[in-house]
Amino acid sequence: MALTGRAALIAALASVPVGVWDPSWTGILAVNAPLAVACACDFALAAPVRRLGLTRSGDTSARLGETADVTLTVSNPSGRPLRARLRDAWPPSSWQPGTETAASRQNLTVPAGERRRVTTRLRPTRRGDRHADRVTIRSYGPLGLLTRQGTHRVPWTVRVLPPFTSRKHLPSKLSRLRELDGRTSVLTRGEGTEFDSLREYVPGDDTRSIDWRATARHSTVAVRTWRPERDRHILLVLDTGRTSAGRVGDAPRLDAAMDAALLLAALASRAGDRVGLLAYDRRVRALLQGRTAGDVLPSLVNAMATLEPELVETDARGLAATTLRSAPRRSLVVLFTTLDAAPIEEGLLPVLPQLTQRHTVLVASVADPHVSRMAQARGHTDAVYEAAAAAQAQSERRHIADQLRRQGVTVVDATPDELPPALADAYLELKAAGRL
């Protein structure tokens, strides 16, 4: 039982020394008895809290930055009307900072034997699962002197998915894909491409594409046209070790890598390729294979939602071995990792030949735009030192990228905003060159 402000005032009056009211106990009772009776009646008329029935419905998922509405249905089986203040508790990251109090607390009136719905609007600030906590209800009597208060556990989970902000680039990349696929332009020859059709030779065509047998049967020179192969295998490998926890802007590197991976997956699935996912640091955090083209993107988003960076050093040998087991056929392995010197030189480079021997390997890395701004800083001593440090960091990244390229690896190093389209372009270039 909780005291309201009015009830607290009454209690304070009741604690005044006896002589103030009346020297006799009869006088005290004469003054306080009506108040005690009013409080008791008010408490008795407040609807019981423990007998209330509570159920949930509504959204079970939402993209980061969007809202999710969860409806709470309160049933009042008692014979007394419920006048209450309700608090629906969720983790702090379920709302924007400073909005939790207004979003989670609501007034509620439920007539006897009826039910009412209240909606809690969440706006999560982090990926992952958000679990509902307790629902606290404070039931008031008609006079508001005393209240009944109780809590209920009403389970519900809202999964916060990656935002996929790079989807805005998808239409332009699909247009380029259609050109490669021969739907809007002349098809070209490329190693590993599939034969499509014959057409008449035009000046500028590659003479290696001339089909001499077909030419002998016709009065004109015939050339073969080619299209990129379909049904290729692509494995997206997310390094979830400590380097993925570094923040670039307002988000960890892992989130930027996920955004680029989703754009590439959407593009590759439209191209008819098979896309899988492996998240690894010292053990497998997520593994996704065998999804159809229509199911691959929802499955990837759902699998990525709960991934968090682990503050451990990634086991490069374990990552390479798991990648080889997960991609038995020749595939494009896209590894999202850092270009820092120590993890690459001591970890990845020694095991890289195992991967490049069997697969086409592409390394995608998230660059920090703040380093580029530092490199351009001038004007005072501190700025010059910052520019020198930034230039050294950029030089080290270029050196690491050159080492990887000498091993036959394609490297894409770009800022979070530029990485998704740059990675998609690299995939299309590999496809156009017939390397997939």
Side-chain angles (χ1 to χ4, degrees), residues 127-394:
R127 287 182 297 99
D129 290 339
R130 297 292 167 267
H131 303 284
D133 200 355
R134 295 168 295 178
V135 177
T136 303
I137 298 179
R138 180 174 291 176
S139 173
Y140 292 85
L143 301 177
L145 299 176
L146 295 180
T147 64
R148 300 172 184 264
Q149 180 169 305
T151 60
H152 294 259
R153 291 196 176 275
V154 192
W156 193 260
T157 301
V158 174
R159 174 157 289 188
V160 187
L161 308 173
F164 193 13
T165 55
S166 63
R167 80 176 78 182
K168 61 188 177 184
H169 299 290
L170 188 57
S172 63
K173 303 309 174 187
L174 288 175
S175 177
R176 283 199 59 194
L177 177 64
R178 285 192 293 271
E179 293 180 3
L180 287 179
D181 205 25
R183 297 170 187 161
T184 58
S185 69
V186 175
L187 297 169
T188 59
R189 178 75 167 100
E191 181 186 354
T193 54
E194 294 178 344
F195 172 74
D196 184 69
S197 62
L198 294 171
R199 62 171 176 80
E200 186 177 345
Y201 174 86
V202 295
D205 283 342
D206 189 345
T207 56
R208 293 174 299 175
S209 296
I210 297 176
D211 189 316
W212 297 106
R213 290 187 179 182
T215 299
R217 294 194 300 268
H218 299 82
S219 59
T220 58
V221 178
V223 295
R224 295 178 180 180
T225 60
W226 311 83
R227 59 185 172 86
E229 292 186 26
R230 291 176 173 271
D231 199 28
R232 313 307 289 173
H233 288 249
I234 299 173
L235 182 63
L236 307 174
V237 182
L238 291 173
D239 177 358
T240 55
R242 64 169 184 83
T243 56
S244 68
R247 300 189 73 83
V248 178
D250 295 330
R253 277 190 167 88
L254 181 60
D255 286 35
M258 287 180 182
D259 195 38
L262 288 174
L263 179 63
L264 178 58
L267 181 61
S269 62
R270 296 286 188 91
D273 294 334
R274 298 175 181 268
V275 182
L277 171 71
L278 170 64
Y280 191 93
D281 41 72
R282 288 188 174 272
R283 64 181 179 87
V284 176
R285 301 291 175 176
L287 180 61
L288 192 68
Q289 291 177 302
R291 295 298 190 272
T292 62
D295 187 48
V296 63
L297 200 59
S299 299
L300 283 175
V301 169
N302 194 55
M304 291 177 177
T306 56
L307 287 178
E308 294 293 342
E310 301 292 331
L311 300 182
V312 296
E313 195 71 41
T314 299
D315 177 11
R317 292 189 180 278
L319 185 147
T322 307
T323 299
L324 292 172
R325 287 196 302 269
S326 303
R329 293 179 53 184
R330 183 166 184 82
S331 308
L332 170 64
V333 175
V334 184
L335 174 58
F336 295 87
T337 189
T338 181
L339 286 183
D340 294 346
I344 295 294
E345 293 178 343
E346 299 174 13
L348 183 60
L349 282 177
V351 301
L352 195 57
Q354 302 175 31
L355 296 175
T356 55
Q357 230 175 10
R358 292 178 52 182
H359 303 295
T360 301
V361 180
L362 190 157
V363 170
S365 182
V366 181
D368 191 345
H370 182 61
V371 175
S372 299
R373 291 193 293 270
M374 286 174 57
Q376 300 171 0
R378 298 292 187 275
H380 53 85
T381 305
D382 290 343
V384 172
Y385 278 113
E386 288 181 357
Q392 182 178 0
Q394 290 175 331

Side-chain angles (χ1 to χ4, degrees), residues 90-113:
W90 289 76
S93 58
S94 301
W95 290 282
Q96 297 290 333
T99 64
E100 177 182 356
T101 300
S104 64
R105 290 169 172 79
Q106 302 186 54
N107 294 320
L108 177 67
T109 301
V110 184

